[in-house]
Amino acid sequence: MASIQKHFNSFPVALLTHFAVVSGGANWWDLWYMLQKIDAPYGFVFAIYILIMVLIILNVITGIFVNDAVEMSQAKKEHAIQASKERRDALFVNLREIFHKCDSDGSGSISKGELRTFMKEKPDLVNCFTDLDLDGFGAAALFDILDINESGTLEIEEFVMGCMRLTGPVKMMELAQAVNNNKKILHVSLRRIKDIHSQMATAPDV
């Protein structure tokens, strides 16, 4: 009884006891045992109180951690998006500079010979292609991959956007080369079919 009076002799002391039990400043089992000996309903209500408070505290703590994790993940995602955008912007600028360096005659387009010559004679240009992971197949193979319409020249937009699609490991270039070959085969096939139809349409009736 003395212990009960010590912990519950007034309303403020009782509140402080409840706070100590929840925060770990007092052993709730000892208090529950004392209340249980006085009257079982007291022990039952006290146990329910402890259960509710523990669940509330656990939910609050869990909510704080989850909220922090979500905010951190969102911040990392936004940072990654911003970093990716900055890399692509820098890549766009670098590729335009490379194009103008390759365009020796200032025609606004580059040929396979110009690309091959500058990659041989300009070490800084080769380093740029190496940094962009575009040196896996050399000048001729890279040009063939970019020149999908087989015009024999590359315009600045065709060169820049094509290189941006190819940046990455050499495996990506291999995949692009395979896709490019398929496109060229399809392009040639369609052109031949069109020529055959034209010839058939102009052929005299027998």
Side-chain angles (χ1 to χ4, degrees):
M1 185 62 68
S3 180
I4 291 296
Q5 292 180 349
K6 175 183 177 182
H7 291 93
F8 298 97
N9 60 359
S10 65
F11 182 72
V13 173
L15 289 178
L16 183 60
T17 299
H18 283 77
F19 175 75
V21 169
V22 173
S23 61
N27 190 329
W28 70 268
W29 176 263
D30 293 339
L31 292 174
W32 172 85
Y33 184 76
M34 288 186 294
L35 292 172
Q36 182 74 8
K37 288 180 63 178
I38 295 174
D39 198 346
Y42 291 164
F44 177 77
V45 172
F46 186 75
I48 294 298
Y49 165 78
I50 296 298
L51 177 63
I52 293 175
M53 292 303 296
V54 169
L55 291 177
I56 291 174
I57 291 174
L58 288 177
N59 285 333
V60 170
I61 293 175
T62 303
I64 292 174
F65 277 107
V66 170
N67 184 63
D68 289 344
V70 170
E71 290 181 353
M72 186 177 299
S73 176
Q74 184 66 24
K76 288 182 177 180
K77 183 178 180 180
E78 292 176 356
H79 178 73
I81 293 174
Q82 181 63 26
S84 177
K85 181 178 182 302
E86 291 176 356
R87 285 195 300 269
R88 290 189 65 83
D89 291 343
L91 175 61
F92 182 81
V93 173
N94 290 338
L95 288 171
R96 288 181 64 89
E97 292 178 356
I98 291 174
F99 179 87
H100 290 304
K101 289 180 180 180
C102 292
D103 185 17
S104 57
D105 57 4
S107 62
S109 63
I110 58 176
S111 64
K112 184 184 294 186
E114 285 179 314
L115 183 60
R116 183 187 294 113
T117 299
F118 272 77
M119 287 190 72
K120 287 182 178 179
E121 298 180 356
K122 298 289 185 179
D124 58 332
L125 184 59
V126 177
N127 292 335
C128 290
F129 277 109
T130 302
D131 293 339
L132 298 175
D133 293 325
L134 295 175
D135 61 335
F137 289 95
L142 177 61
F143 188 93
D144 290 339
I145 291 173
L146 299 177
D147 187 23
I148 296 177
N149 59 5
E150 297 184 302
S151 64
T153 58
L154 295 174
E155 305 292 334
I156 185 168
E157 183 178 354
E158 188 179 11
F159 175 81
V160 172
M161 300 308 297
C163 287
M164 289 184 72
R165 287 193 297 268
L166 295 176
T167 52
V170 176
K171 291 181 180 179
M172 292 300 295
M173 291 191 67
E174 293 173 347
L175 177 61
Q177 188 179 40
V179 173
N180 177 70
N181 291 336
N182 291 336
K183 287 183 178 179
K184 287 183 177 180
I185 292 172
L186 179 61
H187 180 73
V188 172
S189 300
L190 292 175
R191 186 171 57 189
R192 290 179 178 175
I193 292 173
K194 184 178 180 180
D195 292 341
I196 292 172
H197 279 293
S198 299
Q199 292 174 6
M200 294 178 62
T202 56
D205 297 330
V206 178

